[in-house]
Amino acid sequence: MPSRTRSVSAAPQLGGKPAVILFIATLLGFTIESQLTQYVQTNLHYRQPFFIFYLVHSSFAIIFPLHFLFLAATTKYTITGLLSGLQLAITNHLSPNSTDSSGSRAFPKLKFTWLIVALTIGITLPAVLWFGAISLASVSDVTAIWNTNAFFAYLISIKVFGLKWEVRKMVAVVLATAGVALVVYGGVRVEDRDKSEAVLAVSNGPSAPVVGNLLTLIASFGYGLYQVMYKLYGALPDDPETKEEADYQSIAEDEEIASERELSRSRSISSSALEDEMVHPPPFALHPNLITSLVGVATGVLLWVFLPILDYTGVEIFRLPDDWWTVLSITGIALSGVVFNSGLMILLGMWGPVVTSVGNLLTIVLVLITDIIFGNGMDTLTIWSLVGCSAIVFAFGVLAYDMFTHSSD
């Protein structure tokens, strides 16, 4: 009896309205995560950057179960059908021609495991540096420098995917990076900045801005590299994407391989798939949410060992939060971190690393607004910050317009 494959209606190209809503949620998630992380480590004096990182990234594990239960409760898809569709999609992506001794499709367990471990390492190193840096420098500085990963993502994309230099895209990325510099450093005299940092140090605020900024710069490069590598190896080639991005899908296929992959789609992947309707391709965002959750599980299982090591060496003396307000604030960091990182993984598959990373620069605008509301008021706002934010918004607009224009050709 042949298996039946239920085809999911194709999501709107480049995600449509769901992607825009997701993008806004991602920006808000990062802004909330940034502000709460600095609040916990400075105002509440709970300076445990690695432990907070560990909790936040382990929390990624909740996103796939929540999405999966939502689909099971609100659609006619069955649990078996959803899982079978995911299995087939991952198999086609990582091992398109693999079969076991019986001739059935063999799920690439080893390749998939190594992918999750590699992604966990790739996102861990920059994130740990970020969590450490945000307790040493101001949240505006850390946010701005961190978001220069857009520039690194573009340079790495050119090298890895062998793309041609595009003047318009390069100008947009450089303009966005310049906007970052204007927001952080424009119109601020060195002596004023030193005085401000001295005041923050006395008030138990950010006390080592130079070290914090350097750590953030290293993290920014690492994160730009991670985004490109995820697009190359982790994202499904079936994800909605622009025509240009389709030219550098993660597995280069000639016509022969492509035909074999199409033929393999009709084969049975497991006995369970024979008994139900396979949902393929997977519903919108289900695959990246699976990857995100497994990264969370890997973080919880593999990285706990560093907690006693850091405590023993004195690098980070372990202590639990002293009060429930701190616990609640850390919970807020974790939930906003889940929103940001899961949204980012989805957008990377749809929009690619360059547009997504430049789009995330808009968090600088949101952080500036929150600084005005909850920080130093209008003193935070300068002509340079306005020019810088305008440059970032304009640069993202150029890239977004270029992306959507190409997708409709």
Side-chain angles (χ1 to χ4, degrees):
M1 173 182 175
S3 63
R4 294 178 295 166
T5 300
R6 175 179 294 179
S7 177
V8 180
S9 299
Q13 194 164 25
L14 300 176
K17 290 183 179 179
V20 174
I21 295 173
L22 180 66
F23 178 59
I24 295 173
T26 301
L27 296 181
L28 292 175
F30 182 81
T31 303
I32 295 171
E33 183 183 11
S34 298
Q35 296 287 13
L36 281 179
T37 300
Q38 188 178 62
Y39 173 74
V40 167
Q41 296 195 82
T42 56
N43 295 65
L44 300 183
H45 313 299
Y46 187 74
R47 296 181 184 270
Q48 301 282 304
F50 185 84
F51 180 56
I52 294 175
F53 152 80
Y54 177 76
L55 291 178
V56 172
H57 278 230
S58 296
S59 299
F60 293 174
I62 69 174
I63 189 63
F64 177 75
L66 290 177
H67 191 177
F68 193 84
L69 291 175
F70 173 79
L71 289 174
T74 61
T75 68
K76 296 181 180 180
Y77 303 143
T78 64
I79 293 177
T80 304
L82 289 169
L83 292 178
S84 299
L86 278 172
Q87 188 176 357
L88 177 60
I90 294 170
T91 302
N92 285 340
H93 176 49
L94 296 180
S95 296
N97 301 313
S98 63
T99 57
D100 58 23
S101 57
S102 64
S104 300
R105 302 299 309 283
F107 184 78
K109 297 179 181 178
L110 184 60
K111 286 185 178 181
F112 190 61
T113 300
W114 277 115
L115 174 65
I116 298 302
V117 171
L119 291 176
T120 301
I121 295 173
I123 200 172
T124 293
L125 296 179
V128 169
L129 292 177
W130 182 86
F131 274 96
I134 205 166
S135 66
L136 301 174
S138 71
V139 67
S140 296
D141 283 16
V142 170
T143 300
I145 298 172
W146 166 264
N147 279 309
T148 58
N149 63 73
F151 182 72
F152 294 125
Y154 182 65
L155 295 181
I156 297 170
S157 294
I158 294 293
K159 180 66 175 179
V160 170
F161 298 124
L163 303 178
K164 296 180 180 179
W165 290 94
E166 293 187 28
V167 175
R168 180 168 52 184
K169 185 172 289 188
M170 184 62 183
V171 170
V173 173
V174 171
L175 182 63
T177 306
V180 169
L182 287 176
V183 173
V184 178
Y185 303 110
V188 180
R189 295 178 303 174
V190 174
E191 56 268 26
D192 291 339
R193 190 174 182 84
D194 291 342
K195 289 179 182 179
S196 176
E197 290 166 355
V199 171
L200 287 171
V202 171
S203 61
N204 293 315
S207 56
V210 175
V211 175
N213 291 345
L214 180 60
L215 291 178
T216 309
L217 183 63
I218 298 173
S220 177
F221 175 81
Y223 200 60
L225 178 63
Y226 167 80
Q227 292 180 81
V228 176
M229 291 298 104
Y230 172 76
K231 177 62 180 176
L232 180 63
Y233 295 109
L236 294 179
D238 294 333
D239 286 344
E241 55 192 1
T242 65
K243 290 184 178 180
E244 178 193 33
E245 287 166 350
D247 292 337
Y248 54 83
Q249 288 181 358
S250 58
I251 300 178
E253 299 175 336
D254 55 23
E255 293 182 359
E256 180 180 355
I257 296 178
S259 62
E260 290 179 356
R261 289 185 62 181
E262 288 300 319
L263 179 62
S264 68
R265 291 178 188 272
S266 62
R267 296 179 182 174
S268 173
I269 188 170
S270 65
S271 59
S272 62
L274 294 174
E275 301 170 359
D276 215 321
E277 289 187 347
M278 182 185 299
V279 183
H280 189 270
F284 176 76
L286 189 61
H287 173 264
N289 280 342
L290 171 64
I291 299 295
T292 302
S293 276
L294 290 178
V295 168
V297 172
T299 300
V301 172
L302 300 176
L303 300 184
W304 66 269
V305 68
F306 289 99
L307 293 172
I309 293 176
L310 294 174
D311 181 75
Y312 178 78
T313 58
V315 174
E316 181 177 308
I317 305 300
F318 179 77
R319 65 182 180 91
L320 292 172
D322 299 324
D323 54 77
W324 283 105
W325 180 247
T326 304
V327 172
L328 184 62
S329 300
I330 294 174
T331 302
I333 297 173
L335 293 178
S336 57
V338 170
V339 171
F340 167 68
N341 284 277
S342 59
L344 178 78
M345 299 281 268
I346 298 168
L347 292 173
L348 282 174
M350 294 190 299
W351 292 356
V354 177
V355 177
T356 301
S357 56
V358 172
N360 283 331
L361 293 178
L362 296 177
T363 56
I364 296 175
V365 180
L366 295 181
V367 168
L368 181 65
I369 293 173
T370 57
D371 280 347
I372 293 174
I373 297 174
F374 303 107
N376 297 322
M378 293 303 295
D379 291 339
T380 306
L381 191 63
T382 66
I383 184 63
W384 297 105
S385 61
L386 285 175
V387 172
C389 289
S390 299
I392 293 168
V393 172
F394 177 77
F396 175 70
V398 169
L399 291 175
Y401 175 80
D402 183 71
M403 177 180 64
F404 282 97
T405 301
H406 278 75
S407 69
S408 61
D409 289 344

